[in-house]
Amino acid sequence: MNQIVLTGMILSATPIGEYDRRIVVLTKEQGKISAFAKGSRRPNSHLVGVVNPFTFGKFTIYEGRNSYTIQSVEVVNYFSELRNDVVGAYYGFYFLEFANYYTRENNDERNMLKLLYQSMRALTNPHIPNGLVRCVFELKTYYIMGEGPEVFRCVVCGDQERAKVFSVNKGGLVCEECSHGMQDGIRLEQSTLYCMQYIKSTEIEKLYTFNVTDNVRAQLMKILDRYRQIYVDHRFKSLEILETLSE
């Protein structure tokens, strides 16, 4: 077996047998991988507290013919603040589940890992509302995956000058001339449009450097909820729990 060291974040941990766990890790070097953490459910295991969701660090792994086995973990961040914040934790679980849905094994997922890490940090920042972090995370994920809406020009004719409305069904902005008969057009507040344009065009490290009004955040969430319902063929259990807690 070959020993390798991978940098990443644990997306999920599932009990296997009596004492083991199956871990899904989003890594910088090899995209998403699954690995076994043998004996990690034993009280005296050196892995017992480090192979949990949210753990970000360096994973020393044995690479076998058909599977990976975690040997040790050098933790860089536990995001321990989320362990004392139930709502914040479920935002985090939702981000992990969202990333798990979109990422693939043996794929370059460095940008997704970077976004996930920065988004977890933002959840621990009391000056940034969790709802805004969720909007930024979801929208930036769509752009990373090549599925984001067009927010700079009309999706029908390409015009950049005329006033526009946002159509989820059309996948972005539609100008006045092309929007006749359209049923789902949403006239965005200018700040909402600027926010979406900023998220699309800004480097991941600089995403969480702004705030918005409650009205803009509500409009963003309305758009992204509808966008997810139409374009994402998956029900996220953590989101259902999060929405119940938020109520």
Side-chain angles (χ1 to χ4, degrees), residues 25-27 75-76 82 85 113 117 122 124 126 149 163 204 209 226 229 244:
V25 189
L26 185 61
T27 73
V75 177
V76 174
L82 298 179
D85 176 5
L113 177 62
Y117 183 80
T124 67
I204 293 171
T209 56
R226 181 64 177 153
Q229 291 165 9
T244 300

Side-chain angles (χ1 to χ4, degrees), residues 20-216:
D20 304 338
R21 287 187 177 96
R22 177 180 176 272
I23 310 299
V24 177
V25 189
L26 185 61
T27 73
K28 176 181 177 182
E29 297 84 0
Q30 296 191 17
K32 184 170 67 177
I33 68 166
S34 297
F36 292 102
K38 294 183 178 180
S40 60
R41 295 167 62 204
R42 295 180 183 273
N44 60 347
S45 171
H46 66 287
L47 296 176
V48 68
V50 296
V51 288
N52 298 311
F54 301 129
T55 296
F56 178 86
K58 294 184 181 298
F59 297 80
T60 300
I61 293 174
Y62 283 133
E63 184 179 17
R65 180 176 299 177
N66 300 311
S67 64
Y68 294 103
T69 302
I70 295 177
Q71 180 68 15
S72 63
V73 183
E74 179 185 338
V75 177
V76 174
N77 200 332
Y78 282 110
F79 299 100
S80 57
E81 299 92 336
L82 298 179
R83 302 177 190 276
N84 301 316
D85 176 5
V86 174
V87 174
Y90 269 97
Y91 272 100
F93 282 126
Y94 172 53
F95 295 173
L96 296 180
E97 190 179 356
F98 204 79
N100 199 2
Y101 171 77
Y102 265 104
T103 53
R104 299 290 180 267
E105 295 186 9
N106 300 314
N107 197 32
D108 184 353
E109 304 291 0
R110 285 174 291 181
N111 283 334
M112 196 63 227
L113 177 62
K114 190 185 301 183
L115 175 62
L116 189 58
Y117 183 80
Q118 295 296 337
S119 299
M120 293 298 181
R121 289 186 61 194
L123 285 178
T124 67
N125 185 337
H127 303 294
I128 306 176
N130 288 343
L132 177 59
V133 179
R134 173 183 160 185
C135 290
V136 173
F137 175 78
E138 287 182 357
L139 186 54
K140 194 64 172 182
T141 295
Y142 295 140
Y143 286 123
I144 290 173
M145 298 301 164
E147 300 178 5
E150 174 55 64
V151 291
F152 283 98
R153 56 182 58 83
C154 175
V155 298
V156 179
C157 71
D159 175 76
Q160 300 183 47
E161 304 299 328
R162 289 188 289 268
K164 299 173 182 66
V165 295
F166 189 91
S167 168
V168 173
N169 288 318
K170 293 286 187 181
L173 298 178
V174 181
C175 73
E176 288 183 331
E177 289 192 9
C178 298
S179 64
H180 297 302
M182 192 171 62
Q183 300 298 315
D184 73 326
I186 301 172
R187 193 163 296 279
L188 300 180
E189 291 192 27
Q190 196 63 44
S191 295
T192 305
L193 178 58
Y194 286 156
C195 181
M196 296 177 77
Q197 291 173 337
Y198 181 84
I199 293 168
K200 178 179 181 179
S201 58
T202 300
E203 296 177 0
I204 293 171
E205 293 86 350
K206 299 179 181 179
L207 276 177
Y208 296 106
T209 56
F210 70 97
N211 208 333
V212 296
T213 66
D214 291 344
N215 287 340
V216 169

